Amino acid sequence: MASQRAVRLSLKKPTHAVCVVGVKTYVDVRSDIPKEAKTFRVSGSPGVEIFIAHDPARVIEPTYKDHWPLDSNVDVTVSVDTASKALSDLKVKVSYFGEYEDHALGHSVLFLTGVDISLDVDTGRKGKAKRSQVDKKTWRWGPEGYGAVLLVNCDRDSLSSSGPDLANRQLMSLDDLKDMSPMVLTCDGPDKLFHSHKLVLNVPFSDCKRVGVFCARGGNSLSSYKQVLGPQHLTYEVERQPGEQKISFYVEGLTFPNSDFLGLVSLSVSLVDTGTLPEVPIFTDTVAFRMAPWIMTPNTQPPLELYVCSVIDPHGSNEKFLKDMSDLALKANCKLIICPWTENRNDRWIQDEMEFGYVEAPHKSFPVVFDSPRDRGLKDFPFKRILGPDFGYVTQKIPLAGPSGLDSFGNLDASPPVTVGSKEYPLGRILIGSSFPKSGGRRMAKVVRDFLKAQQVQAPVELYSDWLSVGHVDEFLTFVPTSDRKGFRLLLASPSVCLKLFQEKKDEGHGEAAQFDGLKDQVARSINEMLADRSLQSDSAFVQKCIDWNREVLKRELGLTERDIVDIPQLFHLKGSYAEAFFPDMVNMVVLGKYLGIPKPFGPIINGRCCLEEKVRSLLEPLGLHCTFIDDYLSYHKLLGEIHCGTNVRRQPFSFKWWRMVP
């Protein structure tokens, strides 16, 4: 809102002024007064409200309240409650009196033209632009918060577009309007007023590359909508038609919050008096928007689509893997999407290429794929095959040095909603692997970390993953949904639990039972041999320390207790200074609701059953989960990955509305 305007009165001729509905105008009753005047009286025609403010410590309120002293501590303001039908159809009269006289010494007349100017957006977050009593210039988080929300228009509603809709300066599809937030300009007043006044819509220079505005003139033609503000247009002189009282606009976001952008943008409209030089804005109304963040979904959200790659496999194992994935998706009532070899160019690591999330505003929500900077065989798949109508796309370009292994999105995970002390994270927290606590080493690119942090709603936690050869967090942790009150468990790979299990089996007389028994092209290792292998024991002790460091960070940052963690038996061995899974890494699983696709560990067979599988079943099935062990040995494990690395899942968004939280 503009600062309060001042109008000076004259005894010689009437004064004319424009008064915006609901906005007080200061009336200077002391600028031109009769010589002997000591008091004044003010009156107004119907439709005009008059306010007299005074300092009671310095001014004695008169017995007859219509006579006020001409004192600097007495101020007069006026306002109008409706737009005028004609110019100067409202009147304010000020009469001046001597100290002891009832006869007026002179009069000043102020003619007002009421005009209703208001820029309104969905401050109440109900999906419609509506007038509100809250401060439209501010944006507030939380259950009692307010302020409008913008979606980054990063989907592609028209297949004739070469990229996301936000790159287009003209409307390519009427469906695109559904992705934009409504904004309404009220401009009610006498038509003649707009012969000498104009309305100008503005976007600050700092925001012009972050927001676009389309003016709507009705109809079903694309030409009825034109972009009036954006990177190429900082101002727009509103084309008001005679008798027009409301003009509709649609607002789109052009960029997500980032290290140089907190997510807030503003737009304003000014009523400008063109009869002065220079032209003077006499009223400005401003609205604020917050860009909707990209939100990542954890394993605990119900699955919608399971993605997996079909690759050329000399062992023929990929075909069986795809069949197993199809069966698992069918159990989970989840759609299976197979990326063919022609599109993945034999790059099977679809988890590393992208991460699914979503954006949401009160009026609309749609999924958004975050394309990782790894750019291998699958590099074009997210943009060419996933970007489309109501399916957005975002990526972050990294410096010319290129990505490290930790920039792949197997190194990106999200926790379920958690409470840490008194701090709530209703959308969970993002987890990324790093070189901590080691100095130096590999770390996820700063531009990606900055992007994730800037979304604000899933405050990232950095874990230590650089002890692994591949270096991804999904190699030692995952979350699974449970049917109990807690609602989830954190699964951690555990060498110590695995060695304890093997020791128990040895003590029971099964020391000759062998890991990898019967597995082609792999040397079997008996329980006795593994327990006697000092190198394997030393490697396991090192890995356990690395995982335990992360365990404490996860407990602290996610508010977890030991009861919330399940240790999954798993061995690692060192290749040089980095660790690799000794047998298929069971934590690196795909989670489809209560159905788990777990890498088959090929553990020692005891009484006809794999003791590792039996141990995992005993840990997870009482939680309401169903374990399916899938052979990924040749197709993924031998290539330093597992099932989670070779799959990707799009999940249901949270029911919780992100704007109701307090970051």
Side-chain angles (χ1 to χ4, degrees):
M1 194 71 70
S3 58
Q4 197 174 73
R5 294 180 61 231
V7 176
R8 292 184 176 182
L9 301 184
S10 171
L11 294 169
K12 299 176 182 178
K13 61 180 182 180
T15 302
H16 295 262
V18 174
C19 195
V20 177
V21 171
V23 178
K24 291 183 178 180
T25 298
Y26 173 75
V27 180
D28 186 351
V29 298
R30 295 183 294 273
S31 57
D32 187 12
I33 60 175
K35 187 175 182 180
E36 302 298 327
K38 300 296 183 181
T39 64
F40 71 94
R41 181 175 64 197
V42 58
S43 60
S45 60
V48 178
E49 281 195 86
I50 298 172
F51 306 90
I52 299 180
H54 71 288
D55 182 352
R58 299 185 179 185
V59 176
I60 299 175
E61 188 171 332
T63 304
Y64 299 101
K65 293 186 179 181
D66 57 346
H67 279 239
W68 288 87
L70 284 165
D71 188 282
S72 60
N73 294 294
V74 178
D75 291 329
V76 177
T77 56
V78 298
S79 69
V80 300
D81 53 17
T82 58
S84 294
K85 300 299 182 183
L87 290 177
S88 302
D89 62 351
L90 300 171
K91 181 180 177 181
V92 174
K93 182 179 179 181
V94 179
S95 302
Y96 297 95
F97 302 88
E99 188 169 2
Y100 303 108
E101 297 180 11
D102 290 332
H103 178 71
L105 302 177
H107 306 276
S108 293
V109 177
L110 170 62
F111 288 105
L112 297 174
T113 301
V115 58
D116 192 4
I117 304 296
S118 182
L119 195 60
D120 295 295
V121 292
D122 182 20
T123 53
R125 301 167 184 166
K126 303 295 185 182
K128 295 182 179 180
K130 189 177 180 181
R131 282 206 173 181
S132 173
Q133 298 302 312
V134 302
D135 182 1
K136 296 180 286 186
K137 294 182 296 185
T138 62
W139 202 96
R140 181 173 295 175
W141 296 87
E144 305 302 321
Y146 54 83
V149 175
L150 278 185
L151 294 176
V152 177
N153 196 8
C154 59
D155 68 338
R156 178 168 55 191
D157 287 311
S158 173
L159 298 181
S160 62
S161 295
S162 59
D165 293 332
L166 57 82
N168 300 322
R169 296 179 188 173
Q170 61 186 41
L171 198 68
M172 303 294 287
S173 168
L174 291 176
D175 287 337
D176 197 23
L177 297 173
K178 300 174 185 177
D179 301 334
M180 303 184 195
S181 296
M183 182 171 72
V184 175
L185 172 61
T186 299
C187 49
D188 189 12
D191 289 338
K192 286 185 178 181
L193 175 71
F194 294 97
H195 295 168
S196 58
H197 295 75
K198 64 182 179 181
L199 292 165
V200 179
L201 205 62
N202 298 274
V203 58
F205 178 76
S206 59
D207 292 342
C208 68
K209 294 182 180 180
R210 298 165 178 160
V211 65
V213 179
F214 285 81
C215 183
R217 286 304 184 183
N220 295 319
S221 170
L222 294 176
S223 60
S224 299
Y225 303 85
K226 69 174 183 177
Q227 191 181 75
V228 295
L229 291 180
Q232 308 299 320
H233 310 284
L234 272 68
T235 63
Y236 166 63
E237 185 174 334
V238 178
E239 299 170 359
R240 180 186 182 274
Q241 304 300 319
E244 196 166 27
Q245 297 180 2
K246 293 184 182 296
I247 302 174
S248 295
F249 296 88
Y250 291 88
V251 188
E252 63 176 346
L254 303 181
T255 182
F256 282 94
N258 218 319
S259 59
D260 61 348
F261 173 41
L262 295 177
L264 285 172
V265 296
S266 64
L267 299 170
S268 62
V269 67
S270 295
L271 179 65
V272 179
D273 185 349
T274 60
T276 62
L277 288 177
E279 296 178 343
V280 177
I282 61 175
F283 170 76
T284 298
D285 202 14
T286 301
V287 295
F289 293 88
R290 180 173 289 280
M291 216 69 72
W294 179 80
I295 301 172
M296 185 176 167
T297 49
N299 284 351
T300 48
Q301 290 300 107
L304 297 174
E305 296 173 336
L306 171 63
Y307 289 74
V308 66
C309 289
S310 173
V311 295
I312 297 176
D313 189 340
H315 306 288
S317 57
N318 181 246
E319 185 175 344
K320 176 63 166 61
F321 182 80
L322 294 180
K323 175 63 167 60
D324 290 337
M325 288 296 105
S326 178
D327 292 343
L328 190 67
L330 186 63
K331 290 180 183 178
N333 193 28
C334 177
K335 181 180 179 181
L336 178 66
I337 297 176
I338 297 177
C339 173
W341 175 85
T342 52
E343 295 180 13
N344 64 52
R345 293 177 288 184
N346 233 36
D347 178 6
R348 68 193 70 201
W349 310 112
I350 198 165
Q351 179 64 228
D352 287 341
E353 182 58 40
M354 60 190 187
E355 187 64 60
F356 288 111
Y358 68 96
V359 293
E360 183 174 24
H363 67 283
K364 181 75 179 286
S365 176
F366 57 79
V368 176
V369 61
F370 186 5
D371 189 0
S372 84
R374 72 186 280 270
D375 287 349
R376 289 167 61 180
L378 276 160
K379 67 177 184 177
D380 295 328
F381 181 72
F383 188 84
K384 289 186 175 180
R385 294 300 179 187
I386 295 182
L387 170 63
D390 285 341
F391 211 129
Y393 172 92
V394 66
T395 191
Q396 294 293 306
K397 298 297 182 182
I398 66 174
L400 296 177
S404 75
L406 271 64
D407 293 317
S408 297
F409 284 172
N411 196 33
L412 183 61
D413 212 320
S415 80
V418 292
T419 299
V420 185
S422 61
K423 177 66 176 176
E424 294 184 358
Y425 297 92
L427 302 174
R429 300 189 71 176
I430 285 176
L431 309 175
I432 57 177
S434 183
S435 58
F436 297 151
K438 185 172 64 177
S439 61
R442 298 168 296 174
R443 196 178 183 191
M444 183 176 282
K446 186 176 186 299
V447 292
V448 177
R449 288 184 281 117
D450 286 347
F451 173 85
L452 296 171
K453 181 180 179 181
Q455 307 313 305
Q456 296 191 66
V457 296
Q458 294 177 299
V461 177
E462 286 197 65
L463 300 174
Y464 177 35
S465 66
D466 196 29
W467 54 274
L468 287 153
S469 179
V470 174
H472 296 174
V473 293
D474 67 353
E475 298 177 74
F476 65 88
L477 70 80
T478 194
F479 293 90
V480 293
T482 60
S483 54
D484 58 5
R485 183 176 180 181
K486 182 66 179 180
F488 72 89
R489 292 293 188 277
L490 166 64
L491 308 188
L492 288 178
S494 177
S496 62
V497 165
C498 188
L499 292 174
K500 180 181 178 182
L501 174 65
F502 285 169
Q503 185 64 51
E504 290 173 355
K505 298 307 176 186
K506 177 182 178 178
D507 294 343
E508 293 170 4
H510 302 293
E512 293 304 314
Q515 183 77 36
F516 309 124
D517 191 12
L519 189 59
K520 187 178 179 181
D521 299 325
Q522 179 62 44
V523 177
R525 299 286 303 277
S526 71
I527 290 177
N528 288 335
E529 289 174 334
M530 290 187 288
L531 291 176
D533 187 336
R534 291 185 178 181
S535 177
L536 186 59
Q537 294 281 339
S538 174
D539 293 353
S540 296
F542 166 76
V543 168
Q544 190 64 59
K545 288 181 179 179
C546 295
I547 294 174
D548 286 345
W549 190 90
N550 287 298
R551 185 189 201 94
E552 295 308 310
V553 173
L554 289 161
K555 287 166 64 177
R556 181 176 68 249
E557 298 295 336
L558 301 182
L560 304 180
T561 68
E562 285 296 324
R563 293 189 301 274
D564 305 323
I565 301 173
V566 177
D567 291 301
I568 302 298
Q570 185 64 48
L571 291 183
F572 296 82
H573 57 166
L574 295 183
K575 292 291 184 70
S577 58
Y578 293 102
E580 297 175 2
F582 180 65
F583 54 78
D585 188 352
M586 291 186 287
V587 165
N588 194 286
M589 64 180 70
V590 63
V591 180
L592 302 179
K594 62 183 180 180
Y595 296 96
L596 311 180
I598 305 173
K600 185 176 180 62
F602 295 97
I605 303 299
I606 298 174
N607 298 325
R609 295 186 177 183
C610 170
C611 67
L612 290 172
E613 291 185 19
E614 290 302 293
K615 179 64 174 179
V616 171
R617 289 185 192 278
S618 71
L619 293 170
L620 300 183
E621 290 186 349
L623 299 173
L625 300 167
H626 298 271
C627 302
T628 300
F629 292 90
I630 296 171
D631 181 1
D632 75 340
Y633 193 83
L634 293 177
S635 55
Y636 290 92
H637 173 71
K638 292 292 284 184
L639 302 174
L640 301 184
E642 308 289 356
I643 292 177
H644 187 260
C645 308
T647 59
N648 214 314
V649 183
R650 183 171 75 86
R651 303 180 183 277
Q652 284 186 16
F654 289 100
S655 59
F656 182 87
K657 307 304 180 185
W658 60 267
W659 51 84
R660 294 181 60 83
M661 71 175 288
V662 178

PDB file of all heavy atoms in Angstrom, residues 311-335:
ATOM      1  N   VAL A 311      18.017 -53.857 -20.679  1.00  0.00           N
ATOM      2  CA  VAL A 311      19.352 -53.664 -21.236  1.00  0.00           C
ATOM      3  C   VAL A 311      19.810 -54.940 -21.951  1.00  0.00           C
ATOM      4  O   VAL A 311      19.263 -56.024 -21.742  1.00  0.00           O
ATOM      5  CB  VAL A 311      20.376 -53.297 -20.133  1.00  0.00           C
ATOM      6  CG1 VAL A 311      20.033 -51.956 -19.519  1.00  0.00           C
ATOM      7  CG2 VAL A 311      20.439 -54.380 -19.066  1.00  0.00           C
ATOM      8  N   ILE A 312      20.799 -54.784 -22.793  1.00  0.00           N
ATOM      9  CA  ILE A 312      21.413 -55.938 -23.446  1.00  0.00           C
ATOM     10  C   ILE A 312      22.326 -56.617 -22.439  1.00  0.00           C
ATOM     11  O   ILE A 312      23.279 -56.015 -21.931  1.00  0.00           O
ATOM     12  CB  ILE A 312      22.208 -55.501 -24.694  1.00  0.00           C
ATOM     13  CG1 ILE A 312      21.251 -54.885 -25.729  1.00  0.00           C
ATOM     14  CG2 ILE A 312      22.951 -56.680 -25.291  1.00  0.00           C
ATOM     15  CD1 ILE A 312      21.961 -54.329 -26.946  1.00  0.00           C
ATOM     16  N   ASP A 313      22.013 -57.867 -22.124  1.00  0.00           N
ATOM     17  CA  ASP A 313      22.707 -58.573 -21.060  1.00  0.00           C
ATOM     18  C   ASP A 313      23.238 -59.897 -21.600  1.00  0.00           C
ATOM     19  O   ASP A 313      22.449 -60.788 -21.954  1.00  0.00           O
ATOM     20  CB  ASP A 313      21.736 -58.823 -19.902  1.00  0.00           C
ATOM     21  CG  ASP A 313      22.412 -59.353 -18.658  1.00  0.00           C
ATOM     22  OD1 ASP A 313      23.526 -59.886 -18.776  1.00  0.00           O
ATOM     23  OD2 ASP A 313      21.806 -59.245 -17.577  1.00  0.00           O
ATOM     24  N   PRO A 314      24.553 -60.068 -21.679  1.00  0.00           N
ATOM     25  CA  PRO A 314      25.102 -61.313 -22.229  1.00  0.00           C
ATOM     26  C   PRO A 314      24.739 -62.538 -21.398  1.00  0.00           C
ATOM     27  O   PRO A 314      24.750 -63.658 -21.899  1.00  0.00           O
ATOM     28  CB  PRO A 314      26.620 -61.067 -22.214  1.00  0.00           C
ATOM     29  CG  PRO A 314      26.839 -59.987 -21.205  1.00  0.00           C
ATOM     30  CD  PRO A 314      25.618 -59.126 -21.292  1.00  0.00           C
ATOM     31  N   HIS A 315      24.388 -62.331 -20.128  1.00  0.00           N
ATOM     32  CA  HIS A 315      24.027 -63.456 -19.270  1.00  0.00           C
ATOM     33  C   HIS A 315      22.544 -63.789 -19.354  1.00  0.00           C
ATOM     34  O   HIS A 315      22.121 -64.821 -18.838  1.00  0.00           O
ATOM     35  CB  HIS A 315      24.384 -63.143 -17.813  1.00  0.00           C
ATOM     36  CG  HIS A 315      25.803 -62.730 -17.610  1.00  0.00           C
ATOM     37  ND1 HIS A 315      26.859 -63.605 -17.692  1.00  0.00           N
ATOM     38  CD2 HIS A 315      26.348 -61.515 -17.346  1.00  0.00           C
ATOM     39  CE1 HIS A 315      27.988 -62.965 -17.477  1.00  0.00           C
ATOM     40  NE2 HIS A 315      27.710 -61.692 -17.264  1.00  0.00           N
ATOM     41  N   GLY A 316      21.756 -62.906 -19.959  1.00  0.00           N
ATOM     42  CA  GLY A 316      20.323 -63.135 -20.042  1.00  0.00           C
ATOM     43  C   GLY A 316      19.595 -62.907 -18.733  1.00  0.00           C
ATOM     44  O   GLY A 316      18.408 -63.206 -18.608  1.00  0.00           O
ATOM     45  N   SER A 317      20.292 -62.379 -17.739  1.00  0.00           N
ATOM     46  CA  SER A 317      19.686 -62.231 -16.412  1.00  0.00           C
ATOM     47  C   SER A 317      18.725 -61.053 -16.338  1.00  0.00           C
ATOM     48  O   SER A 317      17.838 -61.032 -15.481  1.00  0.00           O
ATOM     49  CB  SER A 317      20.775 -62.083 -15.353  1.00  0.00           C
ATOM     50  OG  SER A 317      21.625 -60.982 -15.656  1.00  0.00           O
ATOM     51  N   ASN A 318      18.887 -60.080 -17.213  1.00  0.00           N
ATOM     52  CA  ASN A 318      18.012 -58.905 -17.150  1.00  0.00           C
ATOM     53  C   ASN A 318      16.566 -59.258 -17.451  1.00  0.00           C
ATOM     54  O   ASN A 318      15.641 -58.701 -16.860  1.00  0.00           O
ATOM     55  CB  ASN A 318      18.516 -57.831 -18.107  1.00  0.00           C
ATOM     56  CG  ASN A 318      17.661 -56.569 -18.079  1.00  0.00           C
ATOM     57  OD1 ASN A 318      17.017 -56.229 -19.058  1.00  0.00           O
ATOM     58  ND2 ASN A 318      17.654 -55.876 -16.944  1.00  0.00           N
ATOM     59  N   GLU A 319      16.362 -60.192 -18.353  1.00  0.00           N
ATOM     60  CA  GLU A 319      14.994 -60.591 -18.700  1.00  0.00           C
ATOM     61  C   GLU A 319      14.277 -61.177 -17.489  1.00  0.00           C
ATOM     62  O   GLU A 319      13.118 -60.871 -17.227  1.00  0.00           O
ATOM     63  CB  GLU A 319      15.025 -61.604 -19.841  1.00  0.00           C
ATOM     64  CG  GLU A 319      13.644 -61.982 -20.352  1.00  0.00           C
ATOM     65  CD  GLU A 319      13.699 -62.903 -21.564  1.00  0.00           C
ATOM     66  OE1 GLU A 319      14.773 -63.010 -22.177  1.00  0.00           O
ATOM     67  OE2 GLU A 319      12.655 -63.511 -21.877  1.00  0.00           O
ATOM     68  N   LYS A 320      14.994 -62.022 -16.744  1.00  0.00           N
ATOM     69  CA  LYS A 320      14.404 -62.589 -15.521  1.00  0.00           C
ATOM     70  C   LYS A 320      14.182 -61.503 -14.476  1.00  0.00           C
ATOM     71  O   LYS A 320      13.159 -61.498 -13.762  1.00  0.00           O
ATOM     72  CB  LYS A 320      15.354 -63.650 -14.962  1.00  0.00           C
ATOM     73  CG  LYS A 320      14.918 -64.267 -13.626  1.00  0.00           C
ATOM     74  CD  LYS A 320      13.606 -65.026 -13.755  1.00  0.00           C
ATOM     75  CE  LYS A 320      13.344 -65.908 -12.540  1.00  0.00           C
ATOM     76  NZ  LYS A 320      13.251 -65.159 -11.290  1.00  0.00           N
ATOM     77  N   PHE A 321      15.092 -60.565 -14.394  1.00  0.00           N
ATOM     78  CA  PHE A 321      14.947 -59.456 -13.444  1.00  0.00           C
ATOM     79  C   PHE A 321      13.695 -58.638 -13.766  1.00  0.00           C
ATOM     80  O   PHE A 321      12.933 -58.272 -12.866  1.00  0.00           O
ATOM     81  CB  PHE A 321      16.191 -58.568 -13.487  1.00  0.00           C
ATOM     82  CG  PHE A 321      16.172 -57.430 -12.512  1.00  0.00           C
ATOM     83  CD1 PHE A 321      16.487 -57.629 -11.179  1.00  0.00           C
ATOM     84  CD2 PHE A 321      15.828 -56.148 -12.915  1.00  0.00           C
ATOM     85  CE1 PHE A 321      16.467 -56.575 -10.263  1.00  0.00           C
ATOM     86  CE2 PHE A 321      15.803 -55.092 -12.015  1.00  0.00           C
ATOM     87  CZ  PHE A 321      16.127 -55.313 -10.681  1.00  0.00           C
ATOM     88  N   LEU A 322      13.463 -58.362 -15.037  1.00  0.00           N
ATOM     89  CA  LEU A 322      12.272 -57.607 -15.435  1.00  0.00           C
ATOM     90  C   LEU A 322      11.001 -58.368 -15.089  1.00  0.00           C
ATOM     91  O   LEU A 322      10.001 -57.776 -14.670  1.00  0.00           O
ATOM     92  CB  LEU A 322      12.314 -57.299 -16.935  1.00  0.00           C
ATOM     93  CG  LEU A 322      13.432 -56.358 -17.411  1.00  0.00           C
ATOM     94  CD1 LEU A 322      13.345 -56.152 -18.914  1.00  0.00           C
ATOM     95  CD2 LEU A 322      13.366 -55.020 -16.696  1.00  0.00           C
ATOM     96  N   LYS A 323      11.035 -59.678 -15.255  1.00  0.00           N
ATOM     97  CA  LYS A 323       9.872 -60.494 -14.899  1.00  0.00           C
ATOM     98  C   LYS A 323       9.611 -60.416 -13.398  1.00  0.00           C
ATOM     99  O   LYS A 323       8.453 -60.268 -12.957  1.00  0.00           O
ATOM    100  CB  LYS A 323      10.118 -61.947 -15.304  1.00  0.00           C
ATOM    101  CG  LYS A 323       9.028 -62.936 -14.878  1.00  0.00           C
ATOM    102  CD  LYS A 323       7.687 -62.614 -15.540  1.00  0.00           C
ATOM    103  CE  LYS A 323       6.694 -63.760 -15.369  1.00  0.00           C
ATOM    104  NZ  LYS A 323       6.400 -64.078 -13.959  1.00  0.00           N
ATOM    105  N   ASP A 324      10.668 -60.482 -12.604  1.00  0.00           N
ATOM    106  CA  ASP A 324      10.507 -60.386 -11.153  1.00  0.00           C
ATOM    107  C   ASP A 324       9.961 -59.015 -10.750  1.00  0.00           C
ATOM    108  O   ASP A 324       9.129 -58.904  -9.842  1.00  0.00           O
ATOM    109  CB  ASP A 324      11.842 -60.629 -10.459  1.00  0.00           C
ATOM    110  CG  ASP A 324      12.299 -62.076 -10.577  1.00  0.00           C
ATOM    111  OD1 ASP A 324      11.437 -62.951 -10.780  1.00  0.00           O
ATOM    112  OD2 ASP A 324      13.522 -62.324 -10.484  1.00  0.00           O
ATOM    113  N   MET A 325      10.425 -57.968 -11.412  1.00  0.00           N
ATOM    114  CA  MET A 325       9.921 -56.626 -11.126  1.00  0.00           C
ATOM    115  C   MET A 325       8.449 -56.497 -11.508  1.00  0.00           C
ATOM    116  O   MET A 325       7.654 -55.858 -10.805  1.00  0.00           O
ATOM    117  CB  MET A 325      10.743 -55.579 -11.877  1.00  0.00           C
ATOM    118  CG  MET A 325      12.152 -55.352 -11.340  1.00  0.00           C
ATOM    119  SD  MET A 325      12.174 -54.684  -9.657  1.00  0.00           S
ATOM    120  CE  MET A 325      12.644 -56.159  -8.747  1.00  0.00           C
ATOM    121  N   SER A 326       8.075 -57.121 -12.599  1.00  0.00           N
ATOM    122  CA  SER A 326       6.681 -57.094 -13.040  1.00  0.00           C
ATOM    123  C   SER A 326       5.785 -57.785 -12.014  1.00  0.00           C
ATOM    124  O   SER A 326       4.707 -57.279 -11.668  1.00  0.00           O
ATOM    125  CB  SER A 326       6.549 -57.774 -14.403  1.00  0.00           C
ATOM    126  OG  SER A 326       5.200 -57.805 -14.814  1.00  0.00           O
ATOM    127  N   ASP A 327       6.235 -58.926 -11.505  1.00  0.00           N
ATOM    128  CA  ASP A 327       5.444 -59.654 -10.506  1.00  0.00           C
ATOM    129  C   ASP A 327       5.313 -58.841  -9.220  1.00  0.00           C
ATOM    130  O   ASP A 327       4.248 -58.797  -8.598  1.00  0.00           O
ATOM    131  CB  ASP A 327       6.111 -60.997 -10.206  1.00  0.00           C
ATOM    132  CG  ASP A 327       6.069 -61.955 -11.386  1.00  0.00           C
ATOM    133  OD1 ASP A 327       5.258 -61.716 -12.309  1.00  0.00           O
ATOM    134  OD2 ASP A 327       6.852 -62.927 -11.397  1.00  0.00           O
ATOM    135  N   LEU A 328       6.405 -58.187  -8.820  1.00  0.00           N
ATOM    136  CA  LEU A 328       6.375 -57.388  -7.599  1.00  0.00           C
ATOM    137  C   LEU A 328       5.446 -56.190  -7.751  1.00  0.00           C
ATOM    138  O   LEU A 328       4.668 -55.874  -6.840  1.00  0.00           O
ATOM    139  CB  LEU A 328       7.794 -56.924  -7.251  1.00  0.00           C
ATOM    140  CG  LEU A 328       7.985 -56.271  -5.878  1.00  0.00           C
ATOM    141  CD1 LEU A 328       7.771 -57.296  -4.768  1.00  0.00           C
ATOM    142  CD2 LEU A 328       9.366 -55.639  -5.768  1.00  0.00           C
ATOM    143  N   ALA A 329       5.519 -55.523  -8.900  1.00  0.00           N
ATOM    144  CA  ALA A 329       4.649 -54.369  -9.149  1.00  0.00           C
ATOM    145  C   ALA A 329       3.182 -54.784  -9.155  1.00  0.00           C
ATOM    146  O   ALA A 329       2.312 -54.045  -8.674  1.00  0.00           O
ATOM    147  CB  ALA A 329       5.024 -53.714 -10.473  1.00  0.00           C
ATOM    148  N   LEU A 330       2.909 -55.970  -9.673  1.00  0.00           N
ATOM    149  CA  LEU A 330       1.528 -56.468  -9.708  1.00  0.00           C
ATOM    150  C   LEU A 330       1.009 -56.680  -8.286  1.00  0.00           C
ATOM    151  O   LEU A 330      -0.132 -56.314  -7.967  1.00  0.00           O
ATOM    152  CB  LEU A 330       1.475 -57.771 -10.506  1.00  0.00           C
ATOM    153  CG  LEU A 330       0.079 -58.347 -10.759  1.00  0.00           C
ATOM    154  CD1 LEU A 330      -0.746 -57.384 -11.606  1.00  0.00           C
ATOM    155  CD2 LEU A 330       0.186 -59.705 -11.457  1.00  0.00           C
ATOM    156  N   LYS A 331       1.832 -57.243  -7.419  1.00  0.00           N
ATOM    157  CA  LYS A 331       1.429 -57.433  -6.027  1.00  0.00           C
ATOM    158  C   LYS A 331       1.120 -56.104  -5.346  1.00  0.00           C
ATOM    159  O   LYS A 331       0.188 -55.999  -4.548  1.00  0.00           O
ATOM    160  CB  LYS A 331       2.551 -58.132  -5.249  1.00  0.00           C
ATOM    161  CG  LYS A 331       2.781 -59.584  -5.611  1.00  0.00           C
ATOM    162  CD  LYS A 331       3.928 -60.147  -4.769  1.00  0.00           C
ATOM    163  CE  LYS A 331       4.252 -61.581  -5.137  1.00  0.00           C
ATOM    164  NZ  LYS A 331       5.399 -62.110  -4.349  1.00  0.00           N
ATOM    165  N   ALA A 332       1.928 -55.118  -5.664  1.00  0.00           N
ATOM    166  CA  ALA A 332       1.790 -53.810  -5.010  1.00  0.00           C
ATOM    167  C   ALA A 332       0.780 -52.909  -5.720  1.00  0.00           C
ATOM    168  O   ALA A 332       0.600 -51.761  -5.314  1.00  0.00           O
ATOM    169  CB  ALA A 332       3.149 -53.121  -4.952  1.00  0.00           C
ATOM    170  N   ASN A 333       0.135 -53.434  -6.763  1.00  0.00           N
ATOM    171  CA  ASN A 333      -0.819 -52.637  -7.550  1.00  0.00           C
ATOM    172  C   ASN A 333      -0.174 -51.348  -8.050  1.00  0.00           C
ATOM    173  O   ASN A 333      -0.711 -50.246  -7.937  1.00  0.00           O
ATOM    174  CB  ASN A 333      -2.061 -52.317  -6.721  1.00  0.00           C
ATOM    175  CG  ASN A 333      -3.203 -51.779  -7.564  1.00  0.00           C
ATOM    176  OD1 ASN A 333      -3.307 -52.093  -8.762  1.00  0.00           O
ATOM    177  ND2 ASN A 333      -4.052 -50.960  -6.969  1.00  0.00           N
ATOM    178  N   CYS A 334       1.030 -51.515  -8.589  1.00  0.00           N
ATOM    179  CA  CYS A 334       1.856 -50.387  -9.028  1.00  0.00           C
ATOM    180  C   CYS A 334       2.144 -50.548 -10.517  1.00  0.00           C
ATOM    181  O   CYS A 334       2.474 -51.646 -10.983  1.00  0.00           O
ATOM    182  CB  CYS A 334       3.147 -50.375  -8.213  1.00  0.00           C
ATOM    183  SG  CYS A 334       4.328 -49.110  -8.658  1.00  0.00           S
ATOM    184  N   LYS A 335       2.037 -49.481 -11.262  1.00  0.00           N
ATOM    185  CA  LYS A 335       2.290 -49.532 -12.704  1.00  0.00           C
ATOM    186  C   LYS A 335       3.785 -49.717 -12.971  1.00  0.00           C
ATOM    187  O   LYS A 335       4.618 -49.054 -12.358  1.00  0.00           O
ATOM    188  CB  LYS A 335       1.797 -48.242 -13.359  1.00  0.00           C
ATOM    189  CG  LYS A 335       1.987 -48.199 -14.874  1.00  0.00           C
ATOM    190  CD  LYS A 335       1.470 -46.881 -15.441  1.00  0.00           C
ATOM    191  CE  LYS A 335       1.675 -46.817 -16.948  1.00  0.00           C
ATOM    192  NZ  LYS A 335       1.187 -45.524 -17.508  1.00  0.00           N
TER     193      LYS A 335
END
